[in-house]
Amino acid sequence: GEALAVSARVAPLGSRLVLLLVEDLTEARRIEAVRRDFVANVSHELKTPTGALSLLSEAVMDASDDPEAVTRFAGRMQIEATRLTNLVQELIDLSRVQNDDPLEDAEPVRVDELVAEAMDRSRHAVSTKNITMAAGGTDGLYVWGNRGQLAAALGNLVENAVNYSPARTRVGIAGRRISAPGGDLVEIAVTDQGIGISEKDRERIFERFYRVDPARSRATGGTGLGLAIVKHVAASHGGEVTVWSSEGQGSTFTLRLPEAAASRDRSPVAAPDD
Ligand code: ADP
């Protein structure tokens, strides 16, 4: 109706303009639908832990004369509270990467530092699952961008590699420089020997809240927002993230980012003449 009314009004201006306007309306509707879905998803994701917390607190009150039960319920309350904290933190991260201009405080960032930070973030899970983590090829590589956002992106990829892998497997992080017509790029590949991702799911995992197995993701504290954050950070830095995977064998997520010349990191040298 709306689109037709508009096209009737502007018809004399030519059919190309009409087409553009109709496309604009369709795009506006699509954005509105995505926004509504997002709010619905957030509400649903918040309701799960808050609902559990409220049931568990009732259970604690009812079990006041059974100290063992109280301890058990309190333990589960702690898990739900952690889940809630993770979700809120990831929502804050997502809104930050969507709203801030990452290149406003861009600087050359050492890739080996990013890798060390990412590995440190997964340190706990790595030792509990007895995962062997190895990194290489990052010496002398610098990327150009926002340190905090880049660290969050790589941290998410490493965290996923660990979460979606069985115990006693390997996670590798490999850096290299690749020449590209528009300027050199730095590639950081995170490879795991985990459960892998089917072709159908590979198309959707970068969407906000999409998970292949929601129960498994929740059990590991996942929110379904991590890869949406990674994709956003890559794109806003003029880079990209891609995935290669073989079901049951493992996955490789590759982050490609514009290289920063190492020399930019050095303090300016005083000019010899003044
Ligand atoms: P989550 O918080 O659930 O990990 P992400 O956005 O980081 O959310 O990832 C979305 C989904 O993609 C995950 O729920 C999981 O199903 C799948 N996934 C991500 N990384 C991997 C991986 N390395 N191996 C297998 N599946 C993965």
Side-chain angles (χ1 to χ4, degrees):
E2 206 177 316
L4 273 181
V6 172
S7 58
R9 238 180 296 140
V10 296
L13 295 177
S15 56
R16 262 196 68 178
L17 183 55
V18 174
L19 194 63
L20 284 178
L21 282 171
V22 173
E23 273 172 2
D24 247 24
L25 282 174
T26 319
E27 174 65 4
R29 285 220 186 89
R30 196 190 59 81
I31 291 170
E32 176 55 23
V34 167
R35 196 194 59 80
R36 259 201 315 266
D37 278 0
F38 180 65
V39 173
N41 277 328
V42 170
S43 317
H44 175 78
E45 295 296 332
L46 287 170
K47 259 186 177 157
T48 312
T50 49
L53 278 170
S54 119
L55 287 176
L56 285 163
S57 61
E58 268 172 43
V60 167
M61 286 190 274
D62 291 344
S64 52
D65 50 359
D66 180 354
E68 256 171 52
V70 168
T71 311
R72 201 169 59 240
F73 291 139
R76 284 176 53 194
M77 288 178 82
Q78 198 176 23
I79 294 173
E80 295 300 332
T82 306
R83 198 161 288 171
L84 202 52
T85 311
N86 284 349
L87 178 62
V88 171
Q89 185 56 53
E90 293 246 278
L91 283 168
I92 293 171
D93 288 349
L94 182 65
S95 87
R96 201 169 279 156
V97 303
Q98 285 180 337
N99 297 327
D100 295 358
D101 175 5
L103 304 182
E104 200 166 284
D105 27 41
E107 54 180 333
V109 181
R110 282 176 64 142
V111 174
D112 57 358
E113 284 177 8
L114 286 178
V115 169
E117 221 177 299
M119 286 169 68
D120 194 54
R121 229 173 90 159
S122 295
R123 178 183 69 222
H124 182 69
V126 165
S127 70
T128 359
K129 290 176 88 170
N130 213 336
I131 295 223
T132 308
M133 184 122 82
T138 56
D139 275 6
L141 291 186
Y142 287 74
V143 287
W144 180 249
N146 179 298
R147 171 183 295 272
Q149 291 198 8
L150 292 170
L154 190 62
N156 267 307
L157 292 181
V158 173
E159 208 166 60
N160 282 346
V162 173
N163 276 345
Y164 299 102
S165 290
R168 287 176 298 279
T169 52
R170 288 175 58 90
V171 170
I173 307 170
R176 63 176 185 140
R177 177 188 291 114
I178 47 176
S179 313
D184 285 357
L185 296 175
V186 166
E187 193 177 272
I188 311 169
V190 181
T191 300
D192 65 56
Q193 301 175 318
I195 58 177
I197 307 154
S198 74
E199 196 182 337
K200 179 173 80 44
D201 289 319
R202 285 202 291 272
E203 288 170 14
R204 302 207 51 195
I205 48 172
F206 293 97
E207 291 172 20
R208 296 177 298 197
F209 292 117
Y210 186 83
R211 301 135 154 155
V212 177
D213 176 355
R216 175 173 182 146
S217 158
R218 282 202 194 94
T220 57
T223 60
L225 292 175
L227 288 179
I229 293 173
V230 177
K231 185 179 173 180
H232 204 93
V233 170
S236 66
H237 279 77
E240 61 171 2
V241 57
T242 54
V243 57
W244 174 92
S245 185
S246 168
E247 269 183 283
Q249 310 261 319
S251 312
T252 297
F253 283 82
T254 306
L255 202 53
R256 283 188 200 86
L257 297 161
E259 191 197 21
S263 58
R264 279 194 237 173
D265 199 32
R266 295 191 195 116
S267 343
V269 179
D273 283 338
D274 51 33

